Amino acid sequence: HLAGFINETNPPENVKTILTHSCYNCHSNNTEYPWYNNIAPVLWWVSFHIKDAKADLNLSDWDNYSKRQKDHKLEELIEVIEEAEMPLKEYTWVHQEARLSAEQREAILEWARRTKTLYGLGPLPR
């Protein structure tokens, strides 16, 4: 499921761990729904957020993205990590292990910027 993404982007072990705990649950096909997801209002809210997250970035579909899409997805990832918009605060309330320290954010940013050079497209226009 995530092998194409991992093999192509080659994150170091510390970044793989961060991605596993902070990103994959919403941004891959490896979603593990919590027990409280069976309660109707929660079910709708969680399902909406996960569907929206996968529409923005589904790392399980990495092999299906074009070079330009991959470059753009990494640019967006860099932006949301720089702005501390991800992981969502609503998610980290329940999943405290998904909270990112300054060092973890920097590790993701360093990896994402380096990986972006694989696609040779340069920065996207702002």
Side-chain angles (χ1 to χ4, degrees):
H1 298 275
L2 293 163
F5 170 73
I6 294 296
N7 290 336
E8 185 173 311
T9 64
N10 194 27
E13 285 303 316
N14 65 327
V15 173
K16 272 192 218 176
T17 301
I18 296 165
L19 294 171
T20 299
H21 292 295
S22 300
C23 306
Y24 289 168
N25 208 32
C26 296
H27 291 284
S28 80
N29 294 337
N30 294 356
T31 303
E32 293 181 19
Y33 290 94
W35 64 267
Y36 52 82
N37 192 57
N38 296 322
I39 303 166
V42 175
L43 167 68
W44 303 325
W45 186 82
V46 170
S47 295
F48 168 79
H49 281 283
I50 290 174
K51 183 179 177 184
D52 194 41
K54 287 181 186 178
D56 285 341
L57 173 63
N58 186 339
L59 298 173
S60 296
D61 289 341
W62 192 255
D63 290 338
N64 298 323
Y65 293 143
S66 70
K67 183 191 273 192
R68 183 162 301 285
Q69 286 173 312
K70 290 173 182 179
D71 183 78
H72 183 67
K73 299 291 182 189
L74 287 167
E75 185 69 27
E76 288 177 331
L77 183 145
I78 290 166
E79 288 175 15
V80 298
I81 295 298
E82 283 178 336
E83 299 296 323
E85 294 173 4
M86 285 287 153
L88 291 176
K89 289 181 182 24
E90 296 89 342
Y91 184 77
T92 59
W93 287 340
V94 178
H95 302 276
Q96 293 186 12
E97 75 283 359
R99 292 181 182 165
L100 299 178
S101 67
E103 289 104 10
Q104 289 172 314
R105 286 187 186 283
E106 194 51 47
I108 292 170
L109 291 170
E110 181 180 314
W111 160 78
R113 289 177 182 129
R114 184 192 74 235
T115 302
K116 218 170 137 1
T117 65
L118 290 174
Y119 307 109
L121 300 174
L124 293 172
R126 297 209 178 242

